[in-house]
Amino acid sequence: MKPAELMLLLIAFIRTRWGFRFRDRASLERWQNKQLARFIGGRLRNAAFYSACTARNITTLPIVDKAITLAQFSAFNTLGVSLEDATNAALVAERSLDKAAAVETGWTAGLSSGTQGPRGVFLASARERATWAGILVARTLDRDLLKDILLRRAPLRVAFFLRANSALYTTLKSRRIDFRFFDLQRGAFAHVDALTQFEPDVLVAPASVLAWLAGESLAGRAAISPRKIISVAEVLEPDDEHRIRLAFHQPVHQLYQCTEGFLAYTCAEGALHLNEEFVHIEPEWIDESHTRFRPVITDFTRRTQMFVRYRLDDILRVRAEPCACGRFTRALAAIDGRLDDVLWFPTTDHTRLLPLFPDVLRHTFARNANDVADYRIEQQGDTLHLAVTGNDAVFDAIKLAVDKLAISQGMEPLPWLRVEMQEPRPAAKRRRIVCVARPLAFSVRIPDDA
Ligand SMILES: [Zn+2]
């Protein structure tokens, strides 16, 4: 890292750590609106898609999504880099990260690890990467770990389990931070010995990998005792969280970081806060009680790639109680998954479909299926395919609980099919609840009572 970039990292760190003191939510929003106005009237227009934009107010800009921004990729970045060039650069970077530094082009590209649809691509300048690293360190490392970085003779050891290495994360690699990447394409089990030898201070991995490592640790096969555990890239399921806490005696922190930006993090009080000091997040409510929303994000700090009124497919659930940490940014109860994790049931009069949200389903499973080690529920039109570890009694208990839940919400239960639990591919993102296809509204069969 060049001295100028290190400086940017430090500035971002200090500002994130000790700046941004707001009196209340209203003052945070006023400050945010000022940043947005400056961004929309200035840097945004350097991207071709917005060059003729006369809007001053965010709400008058068009809402975009992954399909639109990938189709017109070069118009959404200020360097005019094409999707093909960015993708090629990202693939080269993925392969060469551990060997030599990527070719210095002034920008870095990376690919998302998503398994659904086309992969997302990000572009960032060296400056942006440095700033991002400063924000990340400020948001994730507590005082003791920071003290270690500064004062301990040995560097801080950070173990990172990812589906693909990312130039973004290796920005943090330095004399003070020993950053080790563990490639999930090879399967988590292939790394246990190396991980044990590495003795990570900080362990970062998808929730299902953390839970698996916790199981190995509890069984005495992985002697590690990380001081900070960070879950990324997958929904943190309640049973996994419980097992990770049990094994490592540490709370599980979450980092909601994707191609589109650094969107949320767990604070010292354990609440998951939106990163609203850097990203404007409009809630698009998906339920009547305004507890779940789809985020429409605008990153007003970017200079290279623009994510402006960009609609994500995720479902975020708001936390009802305020957080004691003193921040006025919105706190989340959870990231519940993607929009296609919602199952759809017909109403009892078969006139329309109603959503059954994944958090409600998870809660039902947690309450009624204590002995289930793992499950997967998949909606295939008007049939629910369920794979569970356990005997028929377990399957029947879950079936009954979900049917009851549906009836209590004015829905018609759907027929079930028990299917085999599939062994997941090593690097596959785990999704326990998936709607492959919604029922065709008028072809819904009434389940047979017989
Ligand atoms: Zn908090």
Side-chain angles (χ1 to χ4, degrees):
M1 188 174 281
K2 293 176 186 159
E5 288 157 21
L6 185 64
M7 198 47 135
L8 282 171
L9 188 154
L10 286 173
I11 291 169
F13 172 81
I14 291 166
R15 195 160 167 246
T16 308
R17 196 79 171 190
W18 293 287
F20 301 123
R21 301 281 168 190
F22 299 103
R23 252 200 333 261
D24 46 27
R25 175 83 198 171
S27 68
L28 164 68
E29 284 175 3
R30 272 198 303 277
W31 174 85
Q32 216 185 31
N33 285 335
K34 254 186 237 163
Q35 305 300 311
L36 279 170
R38 195 192 298 168
F39 173 71
I40 294 167
R43 283 204 304 276
L44 176 63
R45 295 177 195 187
N46 297 337
F49 186 84
Y50 300 102
S51 60
C53 150
T54 51
R56 299 297 293 182
N57 193 316
I58 178 118
T59 54
T60 55
L61 287 166
I63 290 186
V64 298
D65 58 18
K66 193 176 188 176
I68 297 169
T69 53
L70 283 180
Q72 303 181 58
F73 191 82
S74 63
F76 281 95
N77 69 75
T78 54
L79 302 171
V81 174
S82 70
L83 179 61
E84 200 188 351
D85 286 349
T87 307
N88 288 337
L91 291 171
V92 169
E94 263 181 29
R95 283 194 297 266
S96 60
L97 274 177
D98 288 334
K99 297 166 203 139
V103 186
E104 200 54 62
T105 50
W107 50 269
T108 314
L111 293 168
S112 70
S113 58
T115 45
Q116 290 282 307
R119 294 178 80 181
V121 183
F122 77 80
L123 276 186
S125 64
R127 288 172 59 106
E128 282 172 309
R129 277 168 58 193
T131 302
W132 174 87
I135 298 168
L136 187 80
V137 172
R139 291 295 196 215
T140 51
L141 297 191
D142 51 45
R143 200 182 296 174
D144 284 350
L145 291 169
L146 283 170
K147 225 193 253 168
D148 278 2
I149 292 187
L150 295 173
L151 305 174
R152 194 170 75 172
R153 190 171 300 179
L156 188 78
R157 292 180 298 274
V158 181
F160 222 116
F161 284 77
L162 281 180
R163 288 173 190 88
N165 202 349
S166 165
L168 212 49
Y169 294 112
T170 40
T171 306
L172 291 166
K173 201 169 185 159
S174 65
R175 267 192 312 144
R176 305 304 315 147
I177 300 181
D178 186 356
F179 186 97
R180 191 79 58 92
F181 167 64
F182 295 90
D183 185 358
L184 283 177
Q185 303 284 350
R186 290 179 50 211
F189 55 88
H191 299 297
V192 172
D193 290 342
L195 181 72
T196 311
Q197 270 175 21
F198 183 56
E199 293 182 57
D201 297 302
V202 181
L203 177 60
V204 187
S208 61
V209 175
L210 288 175
W212 181 79
L213 285 169
E216 290 297 288
S217 172
L218 287 168
R221 289 190 293 263
I224 51 169
S225 46
R227 290 150 62 198
K228 179 100 184 182
I229 297 163
I230 302 175
S231 160
V232 291
E234 282 176 353
V235 171
L236 177 61
E237 306 261 357
D239 56 337
D240 285 347
E241 184 176 16
H242 178 74
R243 191 193 295 183
I244 301 163
R245 272 175 187 269
L246 199 69
F248 302 123
H249 313 288
Q250 296 286 344
V252 187
H253 292 254
Q254 292 186 72
L255 199 59
Y256 180 24
Q257 153 75 44
C258 49
T259 323
E260 292 84 5
F262 176 12
L263 303 181
Y265 59 95
T266 306
C267 75
E269 296 291 327
L272 187 59
H273 283 270
L274 291 178
N275 200 17
E276 290 177 294
E277 293 90 344
F278 301 94
V279 187
H280 178 257
I281 301 176
E282 298 168 66
E284 213 172 67
W285 300 105
I286 53 176
D287 60 359
E288 280 158 18
S289 59
H290 284 203
T291 50
R292 301 175 185 83
F293 68 92
R294 239 182 128 167
V296 177
I297 64 161
T298 298
D299 189 328
F300 50 84
T301 59
R302 294 238 198 174
R303 290 158 183 274
T304 309
Q305 190 179 17
M306 297 302 168
F307 288 98
V308 174
R309 297 203 90 199
Y310 183 103
R311 187 190 271 135
L312 291 165
D313 276 339
D314 297 334
I315 306 170
L316 311 188
R317 186 155 41 91
V318 294
R319 183 181 141 118
E321 345 43 273
C323 183
C325 75
R327 287 183 183 84
F328 294 102
T329 50
R330 201 190 289 275
L332 302 177
I335 299 157
D336 281 331
R338 296 163 44 91
L339 220 58
D340 50 8
D341 295 350
V342 177
L343 306 188
W344 293 87
F345 286 68
T347 50
T348 42
D349 60 2
H350 289 212
T351 51
R352 63 192 180 115
L353 295 173
L354 291 177
L356 186 64
F357 290 106
D359 57 298
V360 180
L361 214 49
R362 276 188 198 105
H363 188 64
T364 303
F365 271 78
R367 255 199 336 215
N368 295 284
N370 259 336
D371 352 318
V372 175
D374 204 3
Y375 69 87
R376 182 177 158 90
I377 184 165
E378 199 176 275
Q379 180 163 25
Q380 297 274 4
D382 52 16
T383 311
L384 300 172
H385 291 210
L386 177 66
V388 278
T389 50
N391 57 21
D392 284 348
V394 172
F395 176 77
D396 289 339
I398 291 172
K399 207 168 83 168
L400 188 69
V402 176
D403 285 353
K404 267 192 193 161
L405 177 72
I407 292 165
S408 75
Q409 300 200 2
M411 304 164 176
E412 183 85 44
L414 291 170
W416 293 81
L417 186 69
R418 183 166 187 181
V419 295
E420 283 290 306
M421 192 69 126
Q422 301 287 324
E423 194 61 38
R425 285 175 291 117
K429 203 167 192 159
R430 186 184 62 178
R431 293 171 67 203
R432 277 175 161 172
I433 303 166
V434 182
C435 176
V436 177
R438 296 183 188 190
L440 289 170
F442 299 101
S443 74
V444 172
R445 286 183 293 123
I446 301 171
D448 224 333
D449 278 336

